[in-house]
Amino acid sequence: MKKLYILCAAALGLAFTACDEVEDMTGLPQTNPQEAPFGTDAVSVTPGNSAVINLQALNASGEAVELAAATLTGAPEGYTVVLEPEMAKTDDFAGAVALEAKNAAGTVSIAPDALQDVYYSSFTKDPREATVYIRYAAYAVTGNTSVRLGGPDYFYGPYPYSVKPFDAAKEIADGYTLEIAKSDDFSDAMTFAFANTGVSPYDDPAFKVTAMYSDADYQAGLKWRIVSSTGVIYGPAGGTDASGDLLEGVAAGNVVAASPMLMDINMLTDTYDYKQAYTCLYTPGTANGWSAAASQTLTTDDYVNYKGLVSIIGDGFKFNPDTDWLGKDFGLGGTLEKNVADNGIVTYTGKANGGGNIKPDVDGLYYVEINFATKDMTLTYMSTIGIIGGFNGWGESLALTPSADFRTWVSAPVEFPAGCEWKFRANNDWAHNWGTDASALVFNGGNIVTAEAGTYIVTFDCSSVPYTAVLAKQ
Protein backbone atom coordinates (compact mmCIF):
# COMPACT_ATOMS: atom_id res chain seq x y z
CA MET A 1 0.00 0.00 0.00
CA LYS A 2 2.86 2.40 0.76
CA LYS A 3 4.35 1.97 -2.75
CA LEU A 4 0.95 2.60 -4.30
CA TYR A 5 0.57 5.85 -2.30
CA ILE A 6 3.97 7.11 -3.41
CA LEU A 7 3.14 6.45 -7.09
CA CYS A 8 -0.19 8.27 -6.80
CA ALA A 9 1.44 11.25 -5.12
CA ALA A 10 4.07 11.40 -7.86
CA ALA A 11 1.36 11.31 -10.51
CA LEU A 12 -0.46 14.18 -8.85
CA GLY A 13 2.71 16.22 -8.68
CA LEU A 14 3.28 15.65 -12.39
CA ALA A 15 -0.26 16.71 -13.18
CA PHE A 16 0.06 20.00 -11.26
CA THR A 17 3.37 20.76 -12.89
CA ALA A 18 1.91 20.13 -16.35
CA CYS A 19 -1.05 22.44 -15.71
CA ASP A 20 1.26 25.20 -14.46
CA GLU A 21 3.50 25.04 -17.53
CA VAL A 22 0.95 24.57 -20.36
CA GLU A 23 1.07 27.40 -22.89
CA ASP A 24 -1.79 28.58 -25.09
CA MET A 25 -1.47 29.42 -28.80
CA THR A 26 0.24 32.75 -27.98
CA GLY A 27 3.16 30.92 -26.38
CA LEU A 28 2.42 32.56 -23.02
CA PRO A 29 1.91 30.62 -19.77
CA GLN A 30 -1.76 30.04 -18.98
CA THR A 31 -2.87 31.60 -15.71
CA ASN A 32 -6.11 32.55 -14.05
CA PRO A 33 -7.15 36.19 -14.66
CA GLN A 34 -5.57 38.56 -12.18
CA GLU A 35 -4.79 42.25 -11.78
CA ALA A 36 -1.86 43.56 -13.81
CA PRO A 37 1.26 44.36 -11.72
CA PHE A 38 1.64 47.72 -13.51
CA GLY A 39 -0.32 50.02 -15.83
CA THR A 40 -0.29 50.31 -19.60
CA ASP A 41 1.80 53.49 -19.42
CA ALA A 42 4.73 51.43 -18.12
CA VAL A 43 5.16 50.02 -21.62
CA SER A 44 6.09 52.01 -24.69
CA VAL A 45 5.98 50.40 -28.13
CA THR A 46 8.15 51.68 -30.96
CA PRO A 47 7.34 50.29 -34.42
CA GLY A 48 10.36 49.17 -36.42
CA ASN A 49 11.08 49.24 -40.14
CA SER A 50 9.94 52.79 -40.85
CA ALA A 51 10.99 52.26 -44.47
CA VAL A 52 9.24 49.91 -46.88
CA ILE A 53 9.46 46.31 -45.67
CA ASN A 54 10.72 44.43 -48.73
CA LEU A 55 9.86 40.85 -47.85
CA GLN A 56 11.64 39.26 -50.79
CA ALA A 57 14.89 41.15 -50.13
CA LEU A 58 14.84 40.37 -46.41
CA ASN A 59 14.13 36.72 -47.13
CA ALA A 60 17.04 36.54 -49.57
CA SER A 61 19.43 38.02 -46.99
CA GLY A 62 18.15 35.80 -44.19
CA GLU A 63 16.97 38.73 -42.08
CA ALA A 64 13.85 38.86 -39.94
CA VAL A 65 11.22 41.59 -40.11
CA GLU A 66 11.62 43.63 -36.92
CA LEU A 67 8.08 44.73 -36.20
CA ALA A 68 8.47 46.65 -32.93
CA ALA A 69 10.47 47.16 -29.76
CA ALA A 70 8.96 47.30 -26.29
CA THR A 71 10.41 49.33 -23.45
CA LEU A 72 9.35 48.58 -19.86
CA THR A 73 9.85 51.21 -17.17
CA GLY A 74 8.90 51.35 -13.52
CA ALA A 75 7.89 47.69 -13.34
CA PRO A 76 8.51 45.44 -10.34
CA GLU A 77 11.69 43.45 -10.49
CA GLY A 78 11.54 40.20 -12.45
CA TYR A 79 8.95 41.27 -14.99
CA THR A 80 9.34 41.40 -18.75
CA VAL A 81 6.85 42.36 -21.44
CA VAL A 82 5.79 40.20 -24.40
CA LEU A 83 4.02 41.64 -27.45
CA GLU A 84 1.53 39.63 -29.48
CA PRO A 85 0.80 41.32 -32.85
CA GLU A 86 -2.23 41.12 -35.10
CA MET A 87 -2.39 42.52 -38.61
CA ALA A 88 -5.19 43.93 -40.77
CA LYS A 89 -5.52 45.49 -44.21
CA THR A 90 -7.54 48.42 -42.85
CA ASP A 91 -7.20 50.49 -39.69
CA ASP A 92 -10.60 49.36 -38.40
CA PHE A 93 -9.07 45.88 -38.10
CA ALA A 94 -11.88 44.11 -39.89
CA GLY A 95 -10.60 40.65 -40.78
CA ALA A 96 -7.54 40.96 -38.54
CA VAL A 97 -5.27 37.93 -38.22
CA ALA A 98 -2.77 37.02 -35.48
CA LEU A 99 0.92 36.88 -36.36
CA GLU A 100 3.10 34.14 -34.94
CA ALA A 101 5.97 36.40 -34.01
CA LYS A 102 9.11 35.95 -31.90
CA ASN A 103 9.81 38.01 -28.76
CA ALA A 104 13.48 38.35 -27.81
CA ALA A 105 15.56 41.05 -26.08
CA GLY A 106 12.68 43.50 -26.08
CA THR A 107 11.86 43.20 -29.79
CA VAL A 108 9.18 41.33 -31.68
CA SER A 109 10.02 39.96 -35.11
CA ILE A 110 8.72 37.58 -37.76
CA ALA A 111 10.27 35.69 -40.65
CA PRO A 112 9.58 37.47 -43.97
CA ASP A 113 8.23 34.34 -45.65
CA ALA A 114 5.84 33.82 -42.71
CA LEU A 115 4.55 37.38 -43.02
CA GLN A 116 4.21 36.86 -46.78
CA ASP A 117 2.14 33.72 -46.24
CA VAL A 118 -0.27 35.53 -43.91
CA TYR A 119 -0.56 38.50 -46.27
CA TYR A 120 -1.09 36.25 -49.30
CA SER A 121 -3.64 33.93 -47.69
CA SER A 122 -5.59 36.51 -45.65
CA PHE A 123 -5.52 39.75 -47.65
CA THR A 124 -4.40 39.68 -51.26
CA LYS A 125 -2.07 38.01 -53.76
CA ASP A 126 -1.22 41.42 -55.22
CA PRO A 127 2.59 41.84 -55.18
CA ARG A 128 2.55 45.63 -55.21
CA GLU A 129 3.57 47.76 -52.24
CA ALA A 130 0.70 48.34 -49.82
CA THR A 131 -0.05 49.56 -46.31
CA VAL A 132 -1.01 47.19 -43.53
CA TYR A 133 -1.85 47.93 -39.91
CA ILE A 134 -0.46 46.12 -36.86
CA ARG A 135 -1.47 46.46 -33.25
CA TYR A 136 -0.10 44.73 -30.18
CA ALA A 137 -1.49 43.05 -27.10
CA ALA A 138 1.05 43.36 -24.29
CA TYR A 139 1.55 40.81 -21.50
CA ALA A 140 3.41 41.30 -18.24
CA VAL A 141 5.37 38.08 -17.71
CA THR A 142 7.27 36.74 -14.72
CA GLY A 143 8.10 33.07 -14.43
CA ASN A 144 4.98 31.10 -15.32
CA THR A 145 2.65 34.05 -14.75
CA SER A 146 1.37 36.37 -17.48
CA VAL A 147 -1.25 39.13 -17.34
CA ARG A 148 -2.56 41.10 -20.31
CA LEU A 149 -2.09 44.81 -19.75
CA GLY A 150 -5.22 46.94 -20.05
CA GLY A 151 -7.57 43.97 -20.29
CA PRO A 152 -8.70 41.78 -23.20
CA ASP A 153 -9.63 44.68 -25.52
CA TYR A 154 -6.60 46.90 -25.03
CA PHE A 155 -3.99 47.22 -27.79
CA TYR A 156 -0.95 49.37 -28.45
CA GLY A 157 -1.28 50.99 -31.85
CA PRO A 158 -2.39 50.55 -34.53
CA TYR A 159 0.74 51.36 -36.49
CA PRO A 160 0.88 51.57 -40.30
CA TYR A 161 3.57 49.60 -42.14
CA SER A 162 4.48 49.75 -45.82
CA VAL A 163 5.00 46.23 -47.13
CA LYS A 164 6.37 45.09 -50.47
CA PRO A 165 5.37 41.43 -50.90
CA PHE A 166 7.30 38.88 -52.92
CA ASP A 167 7.19 39.37 -56.69
CA ALA A 168 4.41 37.50 -58.47
CA ALA A 169 5.32 34.61 -60.73
CA LYS A 170 3.51 36.44 -63.56
CA GLU A 171 2.71 40.13 -64.00
CA ILE A 172 -0.99 40.86 -64.53
CA ALA A 173 -2.22 44.25 -65.69
CA ASP A 174 -5.09 46.11 -64.03
CA GLY A 175 -7.14 46.25 -67.20
CA TYR A 176 -7.57 44.72 -70.66
CA THR A 177 -9.40 45.80 -73.80
CA LEU A 178 -10.82 43.69 -76.61
CA GLU A 179 -10.23 45.29 -80.01
CA ILE A 180 -12.27 44.15 -83.03
CA ALA A 181 -11.45 45.54 -86.46
CA LYS A 182 -12.02 45.06 -90.17
CA SER A 183 -8.53 46.28 -91.11
CA ASP A 184 -5.30 44.41 -90.48
CA ASP A 185 -3.69 47.46 -88.81
CA PHE A 186 -6.65 47.90 -86.43
CA SER A 187 -6.98 51.57 -87.39
CA ASP A 188 -10.77 51.15 -87.40
CA ALA A 189 -10.91 49.08 -84.22
CA MET A 190 -13.96 48.96 -82.00
CA THR A 191 -12.92 48.72 -78.34
CA PHE A 192 -14.62 46.91 -75.47
CA ALA A 193 -13.26 47.03 -71.92
CA PHE A 194 -12.99 43.77 -69.98
CA ALA A 195 -14.12 43.67 -66.34
CA ASN A 196 -13.45 41.33 -63.44
CA THR A 197 -15.21 41.34 -60.07
CA GLY A 198 -13.58 44.65 -59.12
CA VAL A 199 -10.79 43.28 -56.93
CA SER A 200 -7.07 43.12 -57.69
CA PRO A 201 -6.38 41.19 -60.91
CA TYR A 202 -4.03 39.00 -58.87
CA ASP A 203 -6.98 37.91 -56.74
CA ASP A 204 -9.34 37.60 -59.70
CA PRO A 205 -7.48 37.23 -63.01
CA ALA A 206 -10.67 36.22 -64.85
CA PHE A 207 -12.09 39.00 -67.04
CA LYS A 208 -15.26 39.11 -69.14
CA VAL A 209 -16.62 41.35 -71.90
CA THR A 210 -19.57 41.42 -74.29
CA ALA A 211 -18.88 42.91 -77.72
CA MET A 212 -21.43 44.07 -80.29
CA TYR A 213 -20.92 44.39 -84.05
CA SER A 214 -23.07 44.28 -87.15
CA ASP A 215 -23.90 41.06 -88.93
CA ALA A 216 -22.69 42.64 -92.17
CA ASP A 217 -19.24 43.32 -90.68
CA TYR A 218 -19.15 39.81 -89.25
CA GLN A 219 -19.99 38.28 -92.61
CA ALA A 220 -17.32 40.45 -94.30
CA GLY A 221 -14.69 39.28 -91.80
CA LEU A 222 -13.45 40.68 -88.50
CA LYS A 223 -10.23 40.30 -86.51
CA TRP A 224 -9.66 40.51 -82.76
CA ARG A 225 -6.82 41.07 -80.32
CA ILE A 226 -6.43 41.98 -76.64
CA VAL A 227 -4.44 44.96 -75.36
CA SER A 228 -3.43 45.35 -71.72
CA SER A 229 -3.47 48.65 -69.85
CA THR A 230 0.34 48.49 -69.97
CA GLY A 231 0.32 48.23 -73.78
CA VAL A 232 1.03 44.52 -74.21
CA ILE A 233 -0.79 43.02 -77.22
CA TYR A 234 -2.08 39.45 -77.11
CA GLY A 235 -3.42 37.22 -79.83
CA PRO A 236 -4.65 33.64 -80.06
CA ALA A 237 -2.26 30.74 -80.49
CA GLY A 238 -4.68 29.42 -83.11
CA GLY A 239 -6.03 32.13 -85.42
CA THR A 240 -9.51 30.69 -85.94
CA ASP A 241 -10.01 28.98 -82.61
CA ALA A 242 -12.85 30.14 -80.35
CA SER A 243 -10.86 29.06 -77.29
CA GLY A 244 -7.23 28.41 -76.48
CA ASP A 245 -4.02 30.09 -75.32
CA LEU A 246 -3.15 33.77 -75.49
CA LEU A 247 0.34 34.71 -76.65
CA GLU A 248 2.15 38.04 -76.74
CA GLY A 249 2.98 39.54 -80.10
CA VAL A 250 1.23 37.01 -82.34
CA ALA A 251 -1.15 37.81 -85.18
CA ALA A 252 -4.73 38.79 -84.46
CA GLY A 253 -7.42 36.13 -84.49
CA ASN A 254 -10.41 35.83 -86.78
CA VAL A 255 -13.84 36.40 -85.22
CA VAL A 256 -15.83 33.18 -85.59
CA ALA A 257 -18.94 34.04 -83.56
CA ALA A 258 -21.81 36.31 -84.54
CA SER A 259 -22.71 39.32 -82.39
CA PRO A 260 -23.14 39.67 -79.49
CA MET A 261 -19.88 37.97 -78.53
CA LEU A 262 -19.07 37.00 -74.96
CA MET A 263 -15.33 36.59 -74.30
CA ASP A 264 -13.73 35.27 -71.12
CA ILE A 265 -10.01 35.53 -70.45
CA ASN A 266 -7.83 34.36 -67.58
CA MET A 267 -4.63 36.36 -67.42
CA LEU A 268 -2.99 34.08 -64.88
CA THR A 269 -3.21 31.11 -67.23
CA ASP A 270 -3.24 33.24 -70.44
CA THR A 271 -6.32 31.50 -71.83
CA TYR A 272 -9.41 32.73 -73.63
CA ASP A 273 -12.83 31.50 -74.67
CA TYR A 274 -15.57 33.22 -76.62
CA LYS A 275 -18.98 32.44 -78.02
CA GLN A 276 -22.12 34.12 -79.21
CA ALA A 277 -23.97 35.48 -76.20
CA TYR A 278 -27.73 35.78 -75.98
CA THR A 279 -29.32 38.02 -73.37
CA CYS A 280 -32.38 35.78 -73.29
CA LEU A 281 -34.00 32.77 -74.93
CA TYR A 282 -37.48 33.02 -76.39
CA THR A 283 -39.98 30.18 -76.14
CA PRO A 284 -42.28 30.18 -79.18
CA GLY A 285 -45.01 27.55 -79.05
CA THR A 286 -48.72 26.84 -79.11
CA ALA A 287 -49.32 29.09 -76.08
CA ASN A 288 -48.19 32.19 -78.02
CA GLY A 289 -49.09 31.24 -81.59
CA TRP A 290 -45.50 30.19 -82.26
CA SER A 291 -44.40 33.82 -82.02
CA ALA A 292 -41.04 34.29 -80.36
CA ALA A 293 -41.74 38.00 -79.88
CA ALA A 294 -44.94 37.18 -77.98
CA SER A 295 -43.43 34.37 -75.94
CA GLN A 296 -42.15 34.25 -72.39
CA THR A 297 -38.39 34.60 -72.07
CA LEU A 298 -35.69 32.80 -70.13
CA THR A 299 -33.04 35.05 -68.61
CA THR A 300 -29.41 34.50 -67.68
CA ASP A 301 -26.65 36.05 -65.64
CA ASP A 302 -23.78 34.07 -67.19
CA TYR A 303 -24.89 33.52 -70.84
CA VAL A 304 -24.79 29.77 -70.22
CA ASN A 305 -27.62 28.95 -67.81
CA TYR A 306 -31.07 30.26 -68.72
CA LYS A 307 -34.23 29.91 -66.63
CA GLY A 308 -37.77 31.17 -66.28
CA LEU A 309 -41.48 30.33 -66.38
CA VAL A 310 -43.00 29.01 -69.62
CA SER A 311 -46.63 28.19 -70.43
CA ILE A 312 -46.65 24.91 -72.33
CA ILE A 313 -49.86 23.73 -74.01
CA GLY A 314 -50.89 21.89 -77.16
CA ASP A 315 -47.94 21.02 -79.37
CA GLY A 316 -45.38 22.41 -76.90
CA PHE A 317 -42.59 24.86 -77.69
CA LYS A 318 -39.01 25.35 -78.88
CA PHE A 319 -36.12 27.58 -77.88
CA ASN A 320 -35.10 30.50 -80.10
CA PRO A 321 -32.40 33.11 -79.40
CA ASP A 322 -34.02 35.47 -81.94
CA THR A 323 -37.49 36.88 -82.38
CA ASP A 324 -37.51 35.75 -86.01
CA TRP A 325 -37.20 32.26 -87.47
CA LEU A 326 -33.62 32.51 -88.77
CA GLY A 327 -32.69 28.86 -88.39
CA LYS A 328 -31.24 29.29 -84.91
CA ASP A 329 -34.15 27.66 -83.08
CA PHE A 330 -33.65 24.31 -81.38
CA GLY A 331 -35.81 21.76 -79.65
CA LEU A 332 -35.99 18.26 -78.27
CA GLY A 333 -33.41 15.66 -79.17
CA GLY A 334 -34.48 12.21 -78.01
CA THR A 335 -37.16 11.96 -75.34
CA LEU A 336 -38.33 13.73 -72.21
CA GLU A 337 -37.90 11.68 -69.06
CA LYS A 338 -40.60 12.20 -66.43
CA ASN A 339 -39.64 12.10 -62.76
CA VAL A 340 -41.92 12.29 -59.72
CA ALA A 341 -40.28 13.21 -56.40
CA ASP A 342 -41.37 11.90 -53.01
CA ASN A 343 -43.21 15.18 -52.37
CA GLY A 344 -45.15 14.77 -55.63
CA ILE A 345 -43.33 17.47 -57.60
CA VAL A 346 -43.03 16.48 -61.27
CA THR A 347 -39.99 17.26 -63.42
CA TYR A 348 -39.02 16.42 -66.98
CA THR A 349 -35.40 16.15 -68.13
CA GLY A 350 -33.85 15.80 -71.55
CA LYS A 351 -31.59 17.31 -74.21
CA ALA A 352 -32.57 20.29 -76.35
CA ASN A 353 -30.05 19.34 -79.02
CA GLY A 354 -32.54 18.52 -81.76
CA GLY A 355 -35.45 19.95 -83.68
CA GLY A 356 -38.46 18.35 -82.03
CA ASN A 357 -41.15 20.17 -80.11
CA ILE A 358 -40.70 20.09 -76.34
CA LYS A 359 -44.00 18.74 -75.06
CA PRO A 360 -44.57 17.30 -71.58
CA ASP A 361 -47.66 15.14 -71.11
CA VAL A 362 -49.51 17.76 -69.02
CA ASP A 363 -50.41 21.28 -70.18
CA GLY A 364 -49.52 23.97 -67.68
CA LEU A 365 -46.92 26.35 -66.34
CA TYR A 366 -43.33 25.11 -66.06
CA TYR A 367 -40.11 26.45 -64.60
CA VAL A 368 -37.66 25.77 -67.42
CA GLU A 369 -33.89 25.60 -66.97
CA ILE A 370 -31.42 24.98 -69.79
CA ASN A 371 -27.65 24.94 -70.08
CA PHE A 372 -26.98 26.58 -73.44
CA ALA A 373 -23.59 24.90 -73.78
CA THR A 374 -24.65 21.31 -73.06
CA LYS A 375 -28.34 21.71 -74.01
CA ASP A 376 -29.34 19.85 -70.82
CA MET A 377 -32.79 21.00 -69.73
CA THR A 378 -35.14 20.53 -66.78
CA LEU A 379 -38.84 21.40 -66.75
CA THR A 380 -40.51 21.58 -63.33
CA TYR A 381 -44.31 21.47 -63.39
CA MET A 382 -45.94 24.28 -61.43
CA SER A 383 -49.07 22.41 -60.31
CA THR A 384 -50.06 25.43 -58.24
CA ILE A 385 -49.08 29.04 -57.75
CA GLY A 386 -50.11 30.31 -54.35
CA ILE A 387 -49.62 33.06 -51.80
CA ILE A 388 -48.43 32.56 -48.25
CA GLY A 389 -47.65 34.96 -45.44
CA GLY A 390 -48.69 36.67 -42.27
CA PHE A 391 -52.33 36.69 -43.36
CA ASN A 392 -52.49 32.89 -42.90
CA GLY A 393 -49.73 32.37 -40.35
CA TRP A 394 -47.34 31.15 -43.06
CA GLY A 395 -49.30 27.91 -43.27
CA GLU A 396 -50.49 26.21 -46.45
CA SER A 397 -50.34 28.30 -49.61
CA LEU A 398 -53.59 29.87 -50.77
CA ALA A 399 -53.85 28.56 -54.33
CA LEU A 400 -54.52 30.99 -57.20
CA THR A 401 -56.62 30.27 -60.28
CA PRO A 402 -54.73 30.25 -63.63
CA SER A 403 -55.80 31.84 -66.91
CA ALA A 404 -56.28 29.61 -69.95
CA ASP A 405 -52.69 30.28 -71.07
CA PHE A 406 -51.25 29.95 -67.52
CA ARG A 407 -49.61 33.36 -67.73
CA THR A 408 -51.71 35.01 -65.01
CA TRP A 409 -52.95 33.55 -61.73
CA VAL A 410 -55.64 35.23 -59.61
CA SER A 411 -56.55 34.78 -55.95
CA ALA A 412 -59.91 34.79 -54.23
CA PRO A 413 -60.45 37.84 -51.95
CA VAL A 414 -57.97 37.67 -49.08
CA GLU A 415 -57.72 39.74 -45.88
CA PHE A 416 -54.31 41.38 -45.30
CA PRO A 417 -53.53 43.01 -41.95
CA ALA A 418 -51.58 46.28 -41.97
CA GLY A 419 -47.92 45.74 -42.86
CA CYS A 420 -48.60 42.19 -44.01
CA GLU A 421 -45.57 40.26 -45.25
CA TRP A 422 -46.14 37.57 -47.86
CA LYS A 423 -44.75 35.80 -50.94
CA PHE A 424 -45.68 33.74 -53.98
CA ARG A 425 -44.59 30.12 -54.16
CA ALA A 426 -45.23 27.13 -56.40
CA ASN A 427 -46.29 23.58 -55.55
CA ASN A 428 -46.89 24.55 -51.90
CA ASP A 429 -43.11 24.30 -51.58
CA TRP A 430 -40.20 26.73 -51.17
CA ALA A 431 -38.04 25.50 -54.07
CA HIS A 432 -39.68 28.03 -56.39
CA ASN A 433 -40.81 31.29 -54.78
CA TRP A 434 -40.93 34.98 -55.66
CA GLY A 435 -40.95 38.10 -53.53
CA THR A 436 -39.18 41.36 -52.54
CA ASP A 437 -41.02 43.82 -54.80
CA ALA A 438 -44.51 43.45 -56.26
CA SER A 439 -43.54 45.55 -59.30
CA ALA A 440 -40.47 43.44 -60.07
CA LEU A 441 -40.63 40.06 -58.37
CA VAL A 442 -37.35 38.41 -57.41
CA PHE A 443 -36.84 34.66 -57.54
CA ASN A 444 -36.05 33.43 -54.01
CA GLY A 445 -36.34 37.07 -52.91
CA GLY A 446 -37.46 38.60 -49.63
CA ASN A 447 -40.97 39.10 -48.35
CA ILE A 448 -43.37 41.49 -50.06
CA VAL A 449 -44.87 44.04 -47.64
CA THR A 450 -48.38 45.41 -48.08
CA ALA A 451 -48.75 48.49 -45.93
CA GLU A 452 -52.53 48.97 -45.80
CA ALA A 453 -54.91 46.52 -44.20
CA GLY A 454 -57.83 45.41 -46.33
CA THR A 455 -59.39 42.85 -48.61
CA TYR A 456 -57.36 42.25 -51.78
CA ILE A 457 -57.49 40.20 -54.95
CA VAL A 458 -53.91 39.28 -55.87
CA THR A 459 -52.75 38.58 -59.43
CA PHE A 460 -49.46 36.89 -60.34
CA ASP A 461 -48.36 37.84 -63.87
CA CYS A 462 -45.48 35.94 -65.50
CA SER A 463 -46.18 37.07 -69.06
CA SER A 464 -42.93 39.01 -69.25
CA VAL A 465 -39.78 39.69 -67.23
CA PRO A 466 -39.81 40.98 -64.56
CA TYR A 467 -42.80 39.08 -63.20
CA THR A 468 -45.25 41.30 -61.33
CA ALA A 469 -47.94 41.17 -58.67
CA VAL A 470 -51.09 43.30 -58.89
CA LEU A 471 -53.11 43.94 -55.73
CA ALA A 472 -56.66 45.15 -56.25
CA LYS A 473 -58.17 46.45 -53.01
CA GLN A 474 -61.85 45.55 -52.72
Side-chain angles (χ1 to χ4, degrees):
M1 292 297 293
K2 185 176 182 180
K3 289 183 179 180
L4 181 60
Y5 172 80
I6 293 172
L7 287 172
C8 290
L12 285 169
L14 179 60
F16 286 127
T17 301
C19 289
D20 191 44
E21 294 180 354
V22 169
E23 297 183 353
D24 62 16
M25 62 181 296
T26 67
L28 298 170
Q30 287 185 336
T31 62
N32 293 323
Q34 55 185 286
E35 186 177 344
F38 45 85
T40 56
D41 56 354
V43 176
S44 61
V45 175
T46 305
N49 289 287
S50 58
V52 176
I53 303 172
N54 190 313
L55 297 179
Q56 187 163 322
L58 289 172
N59 195 64
S61 63
E63 299 177 67
V65 179
E66 293 189 2
L67 297 175
T71 304
L72 180 60
T73 56
E77 185 177 351
Y79 276 92
T80 59
V81 65
V82 170
L83 299 181
E84 292 295 332
E86 64 177 37
M87 180 172 69
K89 198 72 171 64
T90 55
D91 60 5
D92 62 1
F93 276 77
V97 291
L99 299 178
E100 295 186 8
K102 176 183 178 181
N103 280 265
T107 63
V108 58
S109 61
I110 188 171
D113 57 347
L115 186 58
Q116 166 76 17
D117 288 344
V118 173
Y119 185 84
Y120 189 93
S121 62
S122 301
F123 303 142
T124 179
K125 299 178 179 65
D126 198 313
R128 290 170 289 195
E129 180 183 325
T131 298
V132 297
Y133 298 86
I134 300 178
R135 64 186 182 183
Y136 300 89
Y139 292 83
V141 179
T142 180
N144 290 322
T145 301
S146 70
V147 181
R148 182 165 177 176
L149 300 179
D153 299 319
Y154 186 85
F155 291 92
Y156 292 84
Y159 306 101
Y161 294 78
S162 294
V163 175
K164 172 60 180 73
F166 286 35
D167 294 337
K170 181 185 184 300
E171 183 178 348
I172 303 176
D174 283 321
Y176 296 86
T177 300
L178 172 65
E179 294 187 349
I180 296 178
K182 293 181 285 187
S183 63
D184 291 339
D185 64 1
F186 277 76
S187 58
D188 58 352
M190 299 174 284
T191 59
F192 307 91
F194 282 92
N196 70 349
T197 53
V199 300
S200 164
Y202 291 93
D203 297 319
D204 179 16
F207 293 80
K208 185 187 297 286
V209 70
T210 301
M212 306 285 290
Y213 39 85
S214 71
D215 191 60
D217 285 344
Y218 170 64
Q219 296 297 334
L222 293 170
K223 302 181 184 301
W224 69 270
R225 68 184 186 184
I226 295 169
V227 182
S228 75
S229 56
T230 57
V232 179
I233 297 175
Y234 297 85
T240 60
D241 294 336
S243 62
D245 296 326
L246 290 171
L247 300 175
E248 293 184 25
V250 301
N254 297 317
V255 175
V256 295
S259 178
M261 175 221 281
L262 173 68
M263 179 175 281
D264 292 277
I265 59 175
N266 187 307
M267 299 312 297
L268 180 62
T269 59
D270 285 334
T271 54
Y272 74 94
D273 176 85
Y274 71 88
K275 54 185 169 291
Q276 188 171 13
Y278 297 107
T279 56
C280 68
L281 289 178
Y282 300 95
T283 58
T286 301
N288 47 65
W290 292 94
S291 168
S295 71
Q296 292 154 293
T297 56
L298 308 184
T299 59
T300 181
D301 56 12
D302 60 7
Y303 299 99
V304 176
N305 297 289
Y306 294 78
K307 57 191 70 176
L309 291 169
V310 179
S311 301
I312 307 175
I313 62 175
D315 291 328
F317 79 104
K318 289 185 177 182
F319 297 105
N320 195 337
D322 293 304
T323 54
D324 295 320
W325 295 95
L326 302 174
K328 297 179 182 178
D329 60 286
F330 54 97
L332 183 64
T335 59
L336 276 179
E337 181 179 342
K338 184 176 183 178
N339 309 278
V340 181
D342 292 341
N343 60 2
I345 295 176
V346 178
T347 59
Y348 299 80
T349 57
K351 285 274 192 181
N353 58 355
N357 293 352
I358 303 165
K359 184 182 180 302
D361 58 2
V362 178
D363 287 354
L365 184 66
Y366 289 80
Y367 191 78
V368 177
E369 301 168 89
I370 181 169
N371 183 300
F372 190 75
T374 66
K375 299 301 189 291
D376 290 315
M377 64 177 171
T378 300
L379 286 62
T380 303
Y381 178 50
M382 307 282 96
S383 61
T384 63
I385 296 290
I387 56 176
I388 182 173
F391 66 91
N392 67 351
W394 296 93
E396 294 288 311
S397 301
L398 174 65
L400 311 185
T401 301
S403 59
D405 62 3
F406 299 100
R407 288 188 175 210
T408 56
W409 298 64
V410 182
S411 76
V414 58
E415 289 286 337
F416 279 180
C420 181
E421 296 188 17
W422 59 281
K423 297 183 77 172
F424 291 102
R425 69 175 184 172
N427 299 330
N428 203 32
D429 184 80
W430 288 109
H432 299 86
N433 68 86
W434 297 265
T436 301
D437 183 351
S439 64
L441 295 171
V442 177
F443 184 73
N444 283 338
N447 296 341
I448 303 166
V449 180
T450 299
E452 293 184 18
T455 302
Y456 292 88
I457 291 178
V458 181
T459 300
F460 176 77
D461 188 343
C462 60
S463 300
S464 59
V465 176
Y467 307 148
T468 59
V470 177
L471 284 79
K473 194 171 185 180
Q474 303 303 293

